[in-house]
Amino acid sequence: QFLWISSPHDIEWVQLARVPPILVEIIMSDVPGCALFADLPLSELAHKNLEELRPALISKFSDEDQQLVLELFILLDIASKSQRSPRLFQLEGAISILRGKDTLVRAGTGYGKTLVMTLVLLKDPTATAVTIVPLKTLQHAHVRHTFHM
């Protein structure tokens, strides 16, 4: 679990309580004196991308889902050795699946649909992922369309 911090006084309490930095997340607000995400154990890339997503995270996700977003950022940052961080649509898809909803992620080739599944598996290693890859069917349909016009 993460500890939500909303004021500079909370930061002092966390330091006095010796809460490990991995448990500290500074709430997404404009409270003076709070450095957003400062104590999260994330790479520079993840911090940058998380900050860019901040407005969307606040408007699209509940407090509980914002916490899940932070967990997914940390898990992916560790698993990718600080090379990857999720985009908004990937977070939306992963959270939808983790919440038990039927979810369809539609995006172009190479856009990052597989990362949605990866985020779910990082969060819940006991989950099962089924991937349907209809490339042969698409190739045959393309040939039929091209040569039978």
Side-chain angles (χ1 to χ4, degrees), residues 93-138:
I95 288 172
S96 178
I97 293 166
L98 289 166
R99 296 286 178 239
K101 297 178 183 175
D102 293 332
T103 305
L104 175 66
V105 177
R106 183 177 178 196
T109 302
Y111 203 69
K113 296 177 293 294
T114 303
L115 190 58
V116 174
M117 174 184 65
T118 303
L119 290 170
V120 172
L121 294 172
L122 285 171
K123 176 66 179 150
D124 182 6
T126 64
T128 300
V130 176
T131 305
I132 300 169
V133 184
L135 291 179
K136 287 291 184 192
T137 303
L138 291 173

Coordinates of all heavy atoms in Angstrom, one line a residue, residues 93-138:
G93 N -6.6 0.1 -19.8 CA -6.9 -1.3 -20.2 C -6.6 -2.2 -19.0 O -7.3 -3.1 -18.7
A94 N -5.4 -2.1 -18.5 CA -4.9 -3.0 -17.4 C -5.8 -2.8 -16.2 O -6.2 -3.8 -15.6 CB -3.5 -2.6 -17.1
I95 N -6.1 -1.6 -15.8 CA -7.0 -1.4 -14.6 C -8.4 -2.0 -14.9 O -9.0 -2.6 -14.0 CB -7.0 0.1 -14.2 CG1 -5.7 0.5 -13.6 CG2 -8.2 0.3 -13.2 CD1 -5.5 1.9 -13.4
S96 N -8.9 -1.8 -16.0 CA -10.2 -2.4 -16.4 C -10.2 -3.9 -16.2 O -11.1 -4.5 -15.6 CB -10.6 -2.0 -17.8 OG -11.8 -2.6 -18.2
I97 N -9.1 -4.6 -16.7 CA -9.0 -6.0 -16.6 C -8.8 -6.4 -15.1 O -9.5 -7.4 -14.6 CB -7.8 -6.5 -17.4 CG1 -8.1 -6.3 -18.9 CG2 -7.5 -8.0 -17.1 CD1 -6.9 -6.5 -19.8
L98 N -8.0 -5.7 -14.4 CA -7.8 -6.0 -13.0 C -9.0 -5.8 -12.1 O -9.2 -6.5 -11.1 CB -6.6 -5.2 -12.4 CG -5.2 -5.5 -12.9 CD1 -4.2 -4.4 -12.6 CD2 -4.8 -6.9 -12.4
R99 N -9.9 -5.0 -12.6 CA -11.2 -4.8 -11.9 C -12.2 -5.8 -12.3 O -13.4 -5.7 -11.9 CB -11.7 -3.3 -12.2 CG -10.8 -2.3 -11.6 CD -11.0 -2.2 -10.1 NE -10.1 -1.1 -9.6 CZ -9.2 -1.4 -8.7 NH1 -9.0 -2.6 -8.2 NH2 -8.4 -0.4 -8.2
G100 N -11.8 -6.7 -13.2 CA -12.7 -7.8 -13.6 C -13.7 -7.5 -14.7 O -14.7 -8.2 -14.9
K101 N -13.4 -6.4 -15.4 CA -14.3 -6.0 -16.5 C -13.9 -6.7 -17.8 O -12.7 -6.9 -18.0 CB -14.3 -4.5 -16.7 CG -14.9 -3.8 -15.5 CD -14.8 -2.3 -15.7 CE -15.3 -1.5 -14.5 NZ -15.1 -0.1 -14.7
D102 N -14.8 -7.0 -18.7 CA -14.5 -7.4 -20.0 C -13.9 -6.2 -20.7 O -14.5 -5.1 -20.7 CB -15.7 -7.9 -20.8 CG -16.3 -9.2 -20.2 OD1 -15.5 -10.0 -19.6 OD2 -17.5 -9.4 -20.3
T103 N -12.7 -6.4 -21.4 CA -12.0 -5.3 -21.9 C -11.5 -5.6 -23.3 O -10.9 -6.6 -23.5 CB -10.8 -5.0 -21.0 OG1 -11.3 -4.8 -19.6 CG2 -10.1 -3.7 -21.4
L104 N -11.7 -4.7 -24.2 CA -11.2 -4.7 -25.5 C -10.2 -3.5 -25.7 O -10.7 -2.4 -25.6 CB -12.3 -4.7 -26.6 CG -11.9 -4.7 -28.0 CD1 -11.2 -6.0 -28.4 CD2 -13.1 -4.4 -28.9
V105 N -9.0 -3.8 -26.1 CA -8.0 -2.8 -26.4 C -7.8 -2.8 -27.9 O -7.3 -3.7 -28.4 CB -6.7 -3.0 -25.6 CG1 -5.7 -1.9 -26.0 CG2 -7.0 -3.0 -24.1
R106 N -8.1 -1.6 -28.5 CA -8.0 -1.5 -29.9 C -6.9 -0.4 -30.2 O -7.1 0.7 -29.9 CB -9.3 -1.1 -30.6 CG -9.3 -1.1 -32.1 CD -10.6 -0.8 -32.6 NE -10.5 -0.7 -34.1 CZ -11.4 -0.1 -34.8 NH1 -12.5 0.3 -34.3 NH2 -11.3 -0.1 -36.1
A107 N -5.9 -0.8 -30.9 CA -4.8 0.1 -31.3 C -4.1 -0.5 -32.5 O -4.1 -1.7 -32.7 CB -3.9 0.3 -30.1
G108 N -3.3 0.3 -33.2 CA -2.6 -0.1 -34.3 C -1.4 -1.0 -34.0 O -1.0 -1.2 -32.8
T109 N -0.9 -1.6 -35.0 CA 0.3 -2.5 -34.9 C 1.4 -1.7 -34.3 O 1.7 -0.6 -34.7 CB 0.7 -3.0 -36.3 OG1 -0.4 -3.7 -36.9 CG2 1.9 -3.9 -36.2
G110 N 2.0 -2.3 -33.3 CA 3.2 -1.7 -32.6 C 2.9 -0.6 -31.7 O 3.8 0.1 -31.2
Y111 N 1.6 -0.4 -31.4 CA 1.2 0.7 -30.5 C 1.3 0.4 -29.0 O 1.3 1.3 -28.2 CB -0.2 1.2 -30.9 CG -0.4 2.6 -30.4 CD1 0.2 3.7 -31.1 CD2 -1.3 2.9 -29.4 CE1 0.0 5.0 -30.7 CE2 -1.5 4.2 -29.0 CZ -0.9 5.2 -29.6 OH -1.1 6.5 -29.2
G112 N 1.4 -0.9 -28.7 CA 1.6 -1.3 -27.3 C 0.5 -2.0 -26.6 O 0.3 -2.0 -25.4
K113 N -0.3 -2.8 -27.4 CA -1.4 -3.5 -26.8 C -0.9 -4.6 -25.9 O -1.5 -4.9 -24.8 CB -2.3 -4.1 -27.9 CG -3.0 -3.1 -28.7 CD -3.8 -3.8 -29.9 CE -3.0 -4.5 -30.9 NZ -2.1 -3.6 -31.7
T114 N 0.2 -5.2 -26.2 CA 0.7 -6.3 -25.4 C 1.1 -5.9 -24.0 O 1.0 -6.6 -23.1 CB 1.9 -7.0 -26.1 OG1 1.5 -7.4 -27.4 CG2 2.5 -8.2 -25.4
L115 N 1.5 -4.6 -23.9 CA 1.9 -4.1 -22.6 C 0.7 -4.1 -21.6 O 0.9 -4.2 -20.4 CB 2.5 -2.7 -22.7 CG 3.1 -2.2 -21.4 CD1 4.3 -3.1 -20.9 CD2 3.7 -0.8 -21.7
V116 N -0.5 -4.0 -22.1 CA -1.7 -4.0 -21.2 C -1.7 -5.4 -20.5 O -1.9 -5.5 -19.3 CB -3.0 -3.8 -22.1 CG1 -4.2 -4.0 -21.2 CG2 -3.0 -2.4 -22.7
M117 N -1.5 -6.4 -21.3 CA -1.5 -7.8 -20.8 C -0.3 -7.9 -19.8 O -0.4 -8.5 -18.7 CB -1.4 -8.8 -21.9 CG -1.2 -10.2 -21.5 SD -1.0 -11.3 -22.9 CE 0.6 -10.8 -23.5
T118 N 0.8 -7.4 -20.2 CA 2.0 -7.5 -19.3 C 1.8 -6.8 -18.0 O 2.2 -7.3 -17.0 CB 3.2 -6.8 -20.1 OG1 3.4 -7.5 -21.3 CG2 4.5 -7.0 -19.3
L119 N 1.2 -5.6 -18.0 CA 0.9 -4.9 -16.7 C 0.0 -5.8 -15.8 O 0.3 -5.9 -14.6 CB 0.2 -3.6 -17.0 CG 1.1 -2.5 -17.7 CD1 0.2 -1.3 -18.1 CD2 2.2 -2.1 -16.7
V120 N -1.0 -6.4 -16.4 CA -1.9 -7.3 -15.6 C -1.1 -8.4 -15.0 O -1.2 -8.8 -13.8 CB -3.1 -7.8 -16.5 CG1 -3.9 -8.8 -15.7 CG2 -4.0 -6.6 -16.9
L121 N -0.2 -9.0 -15.8 CA 0.5 -10.2 -15.3 C 1.6 -9.8 -14.3 O 1.9 -10.5 -13.4 CB 1.2 -10.9 -16.5 CG 0.2 -11.6 -17.5 CD1 0.9 -12.1 -18.7 CD2 -0.6 -12.7 -16.8
L122 N 2.1 -8.6 -14.4 CA 3.1 -8.1 -13.4 C 2.4 -7.9 -12.1 O 2.9 -8.2 -11.0 CB 3.7 -6.8 -13.9 CG 4.8 -6.9 -14.9 CD1 5.2 -5.5 -15.4 CD2 6.0 -7.6 -14.4
K123 N 1.1 -7.3 -12.1 CA 0.4 -7.1 -10.9 C -0.2 -8.4 -10.3 O -0.2 -8.6 -9.1 CB -0.8 -6.1 -11.2 CG -1.7 -5.9 -10.1 CD -1.0 -5.1 -8.9 CE -2.0 -4.9 -7.8 NZ -1.4 -4.8 -6.5
D124 N -0.6 -9.3 -11.1 CA -1.2 -10.6 -10.7 C -0.5 -11.7 -11.4 O -1.0 -12.2 -12.4 CB -2.7 -10.6 -10.9 CG -3.3 -11.9 -10.4 OD1 -2.6 -12.7 -9.8 OD2 -4.5 -12.0 -10.6
P125 N 0.6 -12.2 -10.9 CA 1.4 -13.3 -11.6 C 0.6 -14.6 -11.7 O 1.0 -15.5 -12.5 CB 2.6 -13.5 -10.8 CG 2.8 -12.2 -10.0 CD 1.4 -11.7 -9.8
T126 N -0.5 -14.7 -11.0 CA -1.3 -16.0 -11.1 C -2.3 -15.9 -12.2 O -3.0 -16.8 -12.5 CB -2.0 -16.3 -9.8 OG1 -2.9 -15.2 -9.5 CG2 -1.0 -16.4 -8.6
A127 N -2.5 -14.7 -12.8 CA -3.5 -14.5 -13.9 C -3.1 -15.3 -15.1 O -1.9 -15.6 -15.3 CB -3.6 -13.0 -14.2
T128 N -4.1 -15.6 -16.0 CA -3.8 -16.2 -17.2 C -4.1 -15.3 -18.3 O -5.2 -14.6 -18.3 CB -4.7 -17.5 -17.3 OG1 -4.4 -18.4 -16.3 CG2 -4.5 -18.2 -18.7
A129 N -3.3 -15.2 -19.3 CA -3.5 -14.3 -20.5 C -3.7 -15.2 -21.7 O -2.9 -16.1 -22.0 CB -2.3 -13.4 -20.6
V130 N -4.7 -14.8 -22.5 CA -4.9 -15.5 -23.8 C -4.8 -14.4 -24.8 O -5.4 -13.4 -24.8 CB -6.3 -16.1 -23.8 CG1 -6.6 -16.7 -25.2 CG2 -6.5 -17.1 -22.7
T131 N -3.9 -14.7 -25.8 CA -3.6 -13.7 -26.9 C -4.1 -14.4 -28.2 O -3.7 -15.5 -28.5 CB -2.1 -13.4 -27.0 OG1 -1.7 -12.9 -25.7 CG2 -1.9 -12.3 -28.0
I132 N -4.9 -13.7 -28.9 CA -5.4 -14.2 -30.2 C -4.7 -13.3 -31.3 O -4.8 -12.1 -31.3 CB -6.9 -14.0 -30.3 CG1 -7.6 -14.9 -29.2 CG2 -7.4 -14.4 -31.7 CD1 -9.1 -14.6 -29.1
V133 N -4.0 -14.0 -32.1 CA -3.2 -13.3 -33.2 C -3.7 -13.8 -34.5 O -3.3 -14.9 -35.0 CB -1.7 -13.6 -33.0 CG1 -0.9 -12.8 -34.0 CG2 -1.2 -13.3 -31.6
P134 N -4.6 -13.1 -35.1 CA -5.2 -13.5 -36.4 C -4.4 -13.1 -37.6 O -5.0 -12.8 -38.7 CB -6.6 -12.8 -36.4 CG -6.3 -11.5 -35.7 CD -5.2 -11.9 -34.6
L135 N -3.1 -13.0 -37.6 CA -2.3 -12.5 -38.7 C -2.5 -13.4 -40.0 O -2.7 -12.8 -41.1 CB -0.9 -12.5 -38.3 CG -0.5 -11.4 -37.3 CD1 1.0 -11.4 -37.0 CD2 -0.9 -10.0 -37.8
K136 N -2.6 -14.7 -39.9 CA -2.8 -15.5 -41.1 C -4.1 -15.2 -41.7 O -4.2 -15.1 -42.9 CB -2.7 -17.0 -40.7 CG -1.2 -17.5 -40.4 CD -0.4 -17.4 -41.7 CE 1.0 -18.0 -41.4 NZ 1.9 -17.7 -42.5
T137 N -5.1 -15.1 -40.9 CA -6.5 -14.8 -41.4 C -6.5 -13.4 -42.1 O -7.0 -13.3 -43.2 CB -7.5 -14.8 -40.2 OG1 -7.4 -16.1 -39.6 CG2 -8.9 -14.5 -40.7
L138 N -5.8 -12.4 -41.5 CA -5.7 -11.1 -42.1 C -4.9 -11.2 -43.4 O -5.3 -10.5 -44.4 CB -5.1 -10.1 -41.1 CG -5.9 -9.8 -39.9 CD1 -5.0 -8.9 -38.9 CD2 -7.1 -9.0 -40.3

